[in-house]
Amino acid sequence: MSCDVKKYARVVVNIPVNKVFHYSIPEEIKDSIDVGSLVNVPFGRRYLTGYCVGFAGESDVQNIKDIKSVTDKNISVDDGMLRITKWISDYYCCSWGEALDAVMPVGVKNSLTAKPVKFAKLVEDVSGAEDEIDRIAKKSPAQARILRTLTEINNELSVKDLLSIAKANRSSLSKLEERNLVVIRTSSCSSPKTKENKHVILKDVARPDLSDEQQKAVDVIDTKLKEHSFNVILLQGVTGSGKTEVYLRAIELAVSLGLCSIVLVPEIALTPQTIRYFKTRFENVAVMHSNLLESDRRQQWQSIKNGTVNVVVGTRSAIFAPVKRLGVVIVDEEHEGTFKQENSPRYNGRDVGIMRAMYNDALVILGSATPSLESYYNAVREKYTHVLMKKRIGKMVVPHVDIVDMAKEASQTKRFCYISRHLERSMRKALLEDGQIILFLNRRGFAPFINCRKCGFVLKCKNCDITLTYHKITNNMVCHYCYREQPAPKDCPDCAMPDIKYQGFGTERVEEEIKRKFPDQIVLRMDSDTMKKRGSHEKAFAEFENGKAHILLGTQMIAKGLDFANVTVVGVISADTTLNIPDFRSSERTFQLLAQVSGRAGRGVKEGLVIIQAFNTKHYSIQHALKTDYEGFAMEELSFRKQLNYPPYGRIIRILFMGKVEENVKERATVLTNRLKRYGREKGLTVDILGPAEASVSRIKNKFRWHTILKAPKSCPIHSIIDHISSDLPLSGGVQSIVDVDPGYML
Ligand code: ADP
Ligand code: ZN
């Protein structure tokens, strides 16, 4: 670009106003600024990091301000990223600046401040110091936490990361330095070398011969990759059909063509085995996820940008990895809700992946045993190439699935229990044969609510329209929305009678029952209460894999991707839990969950048995899961979606209004919704506008919630309606309006 048009820079910043701002370019930075540069700009009374998205030769802005500086010549956003973020901004109704900011990892943005970074590590030889560490632990818990963190991570850590993880302050660290237990070094640039997580046992996996179905899938991928054009393949393979191996081959093919790959997985901590496969097969794999330390993130971003890494595996934001020549985007478990970001920009990593591949003439592979109805519908309509893998690998057979009607069980046994007789018998048999058991319950805590037997009072959260869950371990009542805790009452808070009843059941309560029934067994419980610590997933999975524990009980975090050959029984404690959530995707989620959980059984040579316990045994989600019949389920669910114009037959945008004063929320929702309706009528747009109505969780964290749902066969008309009011959407009169495109949840 010639210098005379470089007079003004067009800059966007990370604020919820979708506007491009003009700044003039001082002479001394003319040579260093380019499209994609990160710049420091005065904004109101402060300075913000902005992104230069273009130049202008003239501007009609009055009192135009100067750009202060270009932050770092080596860090910039390339054309591809500018394009994809512009699309995100248009499609997901956020500002371009917000979208660009999502692309840049925190560690990279922070490095721009370019202060030297301090790193801390344990002294090389702490063997003699163990007694001292024990002594310290007694006297100073903060210092002990620092030591424990460093021991656990077994690596150098930036001081900032260390103190935040250990919840300690700088003076505690300095004391440890004085005692010669910790060394601190100052580094002006990069971060420490990352070590393997020590809990992950690396196996020497050879490249297996492909099954016929895998070979067919790989052939299709090979052909499509060589076309160098945009294509989407839906790889629908039953659990255990060996999808991971197909992904690995796809990456090998891409590598042989000199192309990079991005693999999206739902959650890193929950897919340690998948990560292990990638790491053993490829030299330079970057693993990206939200739990990474800033320093690691920066290092990875740079090595991807430099081209030293050509395979990226990560959670949704990994789709923004700055790879140069993108060849293939793989989305594992593409149906998972975790690909959708629940704060602005509310993008879906899978869908951004499809767009990014489109802009780069790349291939997309969407893998799942239970595809989202959106992807399945696209495959059936031949928008996507549909590749099926119906058989499990080798001798693994599809497990036998039984159902237990818990209402009948209760009437026959004359009491309510969490583990039916059939499940208990099967567990005993499995244990006798040295098999392992996975039990699944999608609800944590001890009891989801408590009430008074005398007056019927139910204890709810002060801030949210939701019952408090009793957690026995802490003897607290916890809100699962705002995490507020309060001590469990002994007497009814309302009528003061000492007659509190713990209703329903969560993982804690079921764990207690299992321990009572199987006193000799170690029960591993995995839910967000027991898995708070970094590395705890890996540790628990390793314990289960080693056979230290034979019973694994967990929430949905154990439903995904796990591959334990020795598991012969899988029990679903209550299939009704997800079914009863008032959301149009509940049936889909229930079916997917049951299919995924069932897929954990019988993955070795031993035959597997799945037992589903439910009250609502006749529901089609459960009935089709029983037969492992995805197509049957999809047909039934699709016809229901079609009747109501729900996705995949229609697009949905949800506008959520939130604020502290209910009247204001309601009024704002009504005013804006009426404007939308009027505009839609005037323009003759075919958009259904439902609402405003109170959201099904009507209050969270003391904010009242109303919503309006827009439905249309195509997304264009909804977007033009939203555009009409978009400038009025940000905060007004204490009411926040949030636009959620293709919402994951409607609660
Ligand atoms: P999916 O993701 O489809 O449920 P996985 O990728 O987890 O299935 O594969 C199931 C198991 O089969 C894994 O233990 C994997 O190592 C193994 N496997 C995959 N492909 C082959 C093959 N061609 N030969 C032998 N074992 C294989
Ligand atoms: Zn709450």
Side-chain angles (χ1 to χ4, degrees):
M1 205 168 281
S2 72
C3 261
D4 54 346
V5 285
K6 255 195 185 181
K7 191 158 181 223
Y8 300 106
R10 304 174 63 239
V11 173
V12 297
V13 290
N14 178 19
I15 54 165
V17 177
N18 197 16
K19 211 180 143 191
V20 177
F21 300 92
H22 285 190
Y23 286 91
S24 52
I25 307 173
E27 202 50 45
E28 63 275 18
I29 64 168
K30 277 229 160 90
D31 291 336
S32 48
I33 190 167
D34 224 324
V35 174
S37 291
L38 274 69
V39 291
N40 208 334
V41 291
F43 198 87
R45 287 190 199 161
R46 50 196 171 143
Y47 283 90
L48 292 179
T49 299
Y51 302 83
C52 172
V53 296
F55 296 110
E58 48 196 70
S59 169
D60 48 16
V61 180
Q62 305 285 313
N63 297 329
I64 209 158
K65 288 180 188 160
D66 274 0
I67 286 182
K68 187 171 167 239
S69 60
V70 173
T71 39
D72 182 340
K73 261 174 78 177
N74 300 318
I75 293 173
S76 64
V77 185
D78 64 21
D79 285 348
M81 278 302 143
L82 286 173
R83 198 166 164 198
I84 196 86
T85 48
K86 181 75 176 77
W87 176 79
I88 289 176
S89 147
D90 291 341
Y91 185 78
Y92 291 106
C93 307
C94 63
S95 78
W96 197 357
E98 285 176 298
L100 271 164
D101 217 61
V103 165
M104 300 298 281
V106 188
V108 177
K109 278 178 292 197
N110 291 358
S111 74
L112 294 173
T113 48
K115 276 201 216 120
V117 183
K118 282 193 179 346
F119 289 99
K121 65 171 186 182
L122 287 179
V123 289
E124 287 296 316
D125 185 23
V126 280
S127 48
E130 265 162 26
D131 292 346
E132 189 159 0
I133 294 180
D134 276 353
R135 241 193 348 269
I136 291 170
K138 285 193 197 100
K139 274 198 304 204
S140 161
Q143 290 178 36
R145 281 198 301 273
I146 294 178
L147 292 173
R148 227 174 292 133
T149 306
L150 285 172
T151 319
E152 226 168 72
I153 295 213
N154 189 22
N155 196 7
E156 211 175 28
L157 259 179
S158 81
V159 167
K160 189 172 161 226
D161 287 335
L162 173 62
L163 296 181
S164 98
I165 296 169
K167 297 196 179 63
N169 57 27
R170 185 59 220 242
S171 69
S172 307
L173 183 61
S174 303
K175 293 222 177 77
L176 289 169
E177 195 184 7
E178 283 160 25
R179 288 194 160 124
N180 287 329
L181 286 168
V182 172
V183 208
I184 295 175
R185 74 171 175 102
T186 307
S187 148
S188 53
C189 57
S190 70
S191 56
K193 287 193 191 73
T194 39
K195 282 189 194 167
E196 286 295 320
N197 189 318
K198 60 180 171 168
H199 295 304
V200 177
I201 314 142
L202 288 176
K203 268 192 215 149
D204 205 2
V205 278
R207 231 159 144 268
D209 294 333
L210 296 180
S211 71
D212 290 349
E213 286 183 329
Q214 283 174 323
Q215 187 62 55
K216 278 202 189 115
V218 172
D219 289 344
V220 175
I221 291 167
D222 189 33
T223 316
K224 296 284 179 196
L225 259 181
K226 284 178 180 148
E227 283 174 12
H228 291 283
S229 62
F230 169 64
N231 274 296
V232 183
I233 293 175
L234 175 62
L235 178 64
Q236 184 183 344
V238 297
T239 49
S241 59
K243 292 185 287 295
T244 314
E245 187 59 37
V246 175
Y247 304 151
L248 293 166
R249 299 296 173 106
I251 298 169
E252 283 177 12
L253 290 169
V255 169
S256 73
L257 295 169
L259 300 171
C260 294
S261 315
I262 300 178
V263 185
L264 295 188
V265 294
E267 263 171 90
I268 293 281
L270 312 182
T271 39
Q273 292 171 322
T274 311
I275 304 297
R276 204 191 301 167
Y277 283 126
F278 285 97
K279 286 203 162 178
T280 44
R281 287 281 275 276
F282 302 102
E283 262 312 312
N284 295 319
V285 181
V287 178
M288 304 183 95
H289 53 91
S290 54
N291 259 340
L292 273 188
L293 304 171
E294 281 185 16
S295 43
D296 289 349
R297 224 179 283 208
R298 178 163 63 241
Q299 191 194 32
Q300 283 186 341
W301 194 85
Q302 242 136 15
S303 27
I304 296 167
K305 190 131 183 154
N306 301 340
T308 43
V309 163
N310 43 23
V311 181
V312 178
V313 186
T315 43
R316 62 175 176 260
S317 63
I319 198 57
F320 301 121
V323 295
K324 287 258 157 52
R325 298 187 62 206
L326 182 63
V328 58
V329 173
I330 296 168
V331 186
D332 187 26
E333 311 286 3
E334 65 87 28
H335 62 276
E336 278 292 336
T338 46
F339 291 121
K340 179 85 159 77
Q341 175 145 303
E342 296 296 341
N343 45 35
S344 189
R346 294 181 158 69
Y347 69 91
N348 184 313
R350 174 194 65 200
D351 300 336
V352 172
I354 293 172
M355 284 314 285
R356 198 173 166 194
M358 198 168 104
Y359 289 152
N360 287 278
D361 298 320
L363 177 66
V364 181
I365 303 173
L366 305 177
S368 175
T370 52
S372 64
L373 287 158
E374 285 87 340
S375 300
Y376 178 73
Y377 183 63
N378 280 329
V380 175
R381 291 195 297 165
E382 296 180 2
K383 259 183 86 177
Y384 295 171
T385 307
H386 202 176
V387 176
L388 290 162
M389 299 205 297
K390 295 182 173 169
K391 292 195 216 95
R392 287 184 145 196
I393 290 288
K395 294 205 180 70
M396 283 195 275
V397 283
V398 177
H400 182 78
V401 188
D402 280 344
I403 189 148
V404 177
D405 184 329
M406 292 306 273
K408 275 196 195 134
E409 180 81 12
S411 79
Q412 283 165 7
T413 58
K414 305 274 183 288
R415 57 184 282 269
F416 184 77
C417 56
Y418 316 118
I419 297 185
S420 63
R421 291 162 300 171
H422 181 34
L423 179 55
E424 185 178 338
R425 272 196 305 272
S426 310
M427 286 171 69
R428 292 202 188 282
K429 184 160 173 285
L431 291 170
L432 272 179
E433 292 162 359
D434 208 33
Q436 285 175 300
I437 297 154
I438 293 182
L439 297 176
F440 173 82
L441 175 61
N442 211 1
R443 196 160 47 200
R444 64 201 174 85
F446 187 85
F449 68 101
I450 59 170
N451 67 359
C452 170
R453 252 188 272 234
K454 284 282 173 325
C455 73
F457 176 82
V458 174
L459 188 60
K460 284 189 159 190
C461 177
K462 278 204 183 78
N463 308 326
C464 310
D465 172 35
I466 208 83
T467 59
L468 293 177
T469 299
Y470 175 59
H471 286 243
K472 195 168 180 180
I473 287 266
T474 52
N475 199 33
N476 273 346
M477 303 300 301
V478 182
C479 172
H480 286 184
Y481 280 85
C482 73
Y483 305 107
R484 215 182 85 90
E485 297 195 11
Q486 65 186 68
K490 283 202 189 67
D491 311 321
C492 174
D494 205 42
C495 72
M497 293 302 283
D499 218 353
I500 296 281
K501 192 164 167 20
Y502 299 96
Q503 299 284 12
F505 52 97
T507 44
E508 252 186 35
R509 194 167 204 169
V510 172
E511 180 188 22
E512 230 180 63
E513 176 151 319
I514 301 168
K515 283 186 171 157
R516 203 162 42 236
K517 288 193 171 179
F518 300 90
D520 306 331
Q521 293 292 326
I522 296 174
V523 183
L524 269 179
R525 192 180 103 217
M526 289 185 72
D527 52 32
S528 46
D529 295 317
T530 58
M531 295 290 118
K532 277 182 187 149
K533 264 174 51 186
R534 197 183 287 267
S536 47
H537 290 97
E538 289 85 346
K539 199 169 157 215
F541 287 141
E543 272 176 32
F544 195 59
E545 184 158 41
N546 301 339
K548 229 183 115 188
H550 276 73
I551 303 176
L552 172 64
L553 164 70
T555 53
Q556 66 203 23
M557 68 170 61
I558 63 168
K560 291 165 203 160
L562 299 181
D563 183 14
F564 298 112
N566 198 35
V567 171
T568 50
V569 170
V570 167
V572 177
I573 304 294
S574 162
D576 310 284
T577 325
T578 34
L579 210 50
N580 293 337
I581 298 170
D583 193 300
F584 79 92
R585 287 188 212 272
S586 290
S587 303
E588 182 180 5
R589 291 220 173 90
T590 306
F591 178 83
Q592 284 164 345
L593 213 56
L594 293 177
Q596 298 284 335
V597 177
S598 309
R600 303 304 125 224
R603 290 173 77 91
V605 281
K606 295 182 193 167
E607 208 179 318
L609 172 65
V610 179
I611 298 171
I612 299 175
Q613 305 188 144
F615 283 95
N616 201 346
T617 54
K618 294 285 176 302
H619 192 281
Y620 64 95
S621 291
I622 295 179
Q623 282 299 320
H624 288 296
L626 210 54
K627 289 175 275 175
T628 340
D629 176 15
Y630 176 84
E631 270 68 28
F633 166 76
M635 285 308 144
E636 205 153 330
E637 181 67 11
L638 281 175
S639 80
F640 154 77
R641 300 275 180 97
K642 191 168 186 173
Q643 279 169 25
L644 298 170
N645 293 324
Y646 275 129
Y649 296 96
R651 293 283 180 157
I652 293 188
I653 293 186
R654 177 198 200 203
I655 310 180
L656 183 64
F657 305 91
M658 297 193 300
K660 294 222 155 115
V661 185
E662 188 170 19
E663 269 314 300
N664 295 354
V665 176
K666 191 175 163 186
E667 193 196 301
R668 182 99 185 121
T670 312
V671 169
L672 283 183
T673 305
N674 285 343
R675 272 181 55 196
L676 288 173
K677 286 181 179 167
R678 211 175 318 123
Y679 184 77
R681 262 198 314 273
E682 278 166 18
K683 298 283 167 193
L685 298 171
T686 38
V687 178
D688 273 345
I689 301 177
L690 314 170
E694 207 172 41
S696 38
V697 181
S698 65
R699 192 166 54 110
I700 293 180
K701 292 186 191 166
N702 252 333
K703 284 192 176 151
F704 292 89
R705 308 166 82 243
W706 279 65
H707 65 182
T708 295
I709 311 286
L710 290 85
K711 266 196 303 193
K714 290 238 160 20
S715 68
C716 298
I718 323 188
H719 274 94
S720 60
I721 286 197
I722 298 277
D723 279 348
H724 177 64
I725 58 154
S726 63
S727 55
D728 294 322
L729 280 175
L731 199 68
S732 159
V735 182
Q736 198 186 354
S737 322
I738 288 167
V739 178
D740 193 359
V741 180
D742 304 333
Y745 293 88
M746 305 265 264
L747 293 177

